[in-house]
Amino acid sequence: MEADDLALVSRATAGDDEAFRALVVRYQRKVYAVALGIVKDPDLAWDVAQEAFVRVHGHLAEFKGESAFSTWVFRIATHLAIDAVRRERTSRKDDVDELRDEDLSGAGEGILATPLGNDPQANLLRRELLGKIQEALDTLPEKHRTILVLREVEGLSYEDLAERLGIHKGTVMSRLFHARKKMQAALREYAEIAPGTGGDAAEGEE
Amino acid sequence: MTDCLRYAPMIGAREGELAPDEARALAAHLAGCPACRAREAAVRETDGLVAEALLARASRRDFGPFVDGVMDRIAARRARSPLDRMLRWVGGHRRSAGLAAAVPVLAALALVVYVRTDRPARELALFELDTVGNVSIVLRTEDGPLVLLGDGEPEDS
């Protein structure tokens, strides 16, 4: 049976490098995935993920176990990734959180029903779809990528997102709305051009 | 549309994330709004796909060297002695450190230094150092201050 995180942290804090290695191996892919979702560049994400674990190691003695070890690692990785992006990003004017009437137009019809249905090539299509999702994610502004990644990969609640990002719960909801809408728009383009999907994916949806 | 502006962002909330009255109001809105029901369906269709895409991409990468890279970085930071860290810090702040070190030196040299000369006791010499390092000697004489230039010849200041 695998040692739990707290036991490994306790051993690592006492100087057991093998225990720390076990923690790294346990969370490395997910931390990398979070970093990749935010910074986009695979090599930078690799660097950010490694640095996150180095920072964690440097502060192991301060970890009191009040939150999950994984939460702590992800929090550090998120901040490092956001810092990395912000060092290079140029802000965009349309990068707003408020919701306007025009934001509600054209959204909501079925997007992926056909590509993910009973097609015999479903697996192939799914792999292609996941690639398209990655591409679509890469087109989003940093704050929309970040909130989607934190919501979906880390699974943070509205409250946790508000705390992590330093914004109000209402802003969390509207920012998520914008992020999803942009993702859906990008995926709709894919669904409309994917073989056999045609333009009828929306039909049958209320 | 005004109601949709209020309720559309609530779509996709998980159990317990909305206040009970918000959840009830959203449910009532969804019951009467086909557009928001379609939005809800779209969120359901795409929910989890971002995580799946990112984790699938992460899984395609060879993580063999990852943990060794982390441990190498940790070892490198452990290996730095306190002196190394100080030197690196100073190196990173060389210009400001140089200026900071120069301040007390300049202040000390800028102090008036009285020296004895072979002139009468009432003639005192004063060394002055300007900020670019030029030194002048000023003689306080009964006739007023005299500045001695490089060749030592007195000249009216």
Side-chain angles (χ1 to χ4, degrees), chain B residues 9-29:
Chain B
M10 296 183 188
I11 292 169
R14 297 175 190 147
E15 187 77 27
E17 288 188 319
L18 297 178
D21 55 336
E22 284 178 323
R24 278 192 297 273
L26 174 62
H29 176 76

Side-chain angles (χ1 to χ4, degrees), chain A residues 71-131:
Chain A
T71 302
W72 186 39
V73 179
F74 288 128
R75 181 190 303 274
I76 291 172
T78 302
H79 286 152
L80 289 173
I82 291 172
D83 283 349
V85 172
R86 289 184 178 171
R87 276 197 293 271
E88 297 176 14
R89 94 170 173 183
T90 53
S91 60
R92 288 161 59 162
K93 277 189 173 177
D94 61 348
D95 201 9
V96 296
D97 289 322
E98 297 78 21
L99 207 61
R100 299 162 298 198
D101 279 340
E102 55 266 35
D103 294 322
L104 295 172
S105 61
E109 294 81 11
I111 298 166
L112 305 170
T114 306
L116 300 181
N118 296 321
D119 193 300
Q121 293 180 314
N123 289 339
L124 183 64
L125 281 170
R126 190 164 191 88
R127 279 201 296 276
E128 187 180 327
L129 170 66
L130 294 179

Side-chain angles (χ1 to χ4, degrees), chain A residues 17 20-21 24 28-30 32-33 36-37 42-43 46-47 49-51 53-54 57 99-101 104 107-113 126 129-130 133-134 137 149 151-153 155-158 169 173-174 177 180 183-184 187 205-206, chain B residues 1-2 4-6 8-14 17-19 22 34-35 37-43 45-71 73-74 77-78:
Chain A
D17 282 351
F20 189 71
R21 291 178 76 95
V24 173
Q28 59 190 7
R29 285 180 196 280
K30 205 167 172 187
Y32 172 77
L36 180 64
D43 292 332
W46 186 269
D47 183 62
Q50 285 193 328
E51 184 61 25
F53 284 109
V54 172
H57 186 275
L99 207 61
R100 299 162 298 198
D101 279 340
L104 295 172
E109 294 81 11
I111 298 166
L112 305 170
R126 190 164 191 88
L129 170 66
L130 294 179
I133 286 171
Q134 174 75 48
L137 187 65
V149 168
R151 176 75 169 176
E152 296 217 3
V153 183
L156 295 188
S157 66
Y158 287 163
K169 181 182 162 188
M173 291 194 289
S174 59
F177 175 86
R180 285 179 174 139
M183 282 294 289
Q184 289 164 4
L187 292 174
E205 294 285 332
E206 206 172 349
Chain B
M1 206 56 122
T2 304
C4 293
L5 281 176
R6 179 179 174 197
M10 296 183 188
I11 292 169
R14 297 175 190 147
E17 288 188 319
L18 297 178
E22 284 178 323
R37 285 203 299 278
R39 290 187 184 99
E40 186 183 38
V43 169
E45 282 179 21
T46 55
D47 190 36
L49 290 177
V50 167
E52 189 176 342
L54 288 170
L55 290 170
R57 193 164 173 201
S59 294
R60 286 198 298 275
R61 186 151 187 172
D62 174 17
F63 271 76
F66 186 90
V67 68
D68 289 334
V70 171
M71 300 313 289
R73 288 187 187 202
I74 291 169
R77 292 186 193 188
R78 276 177 180 159

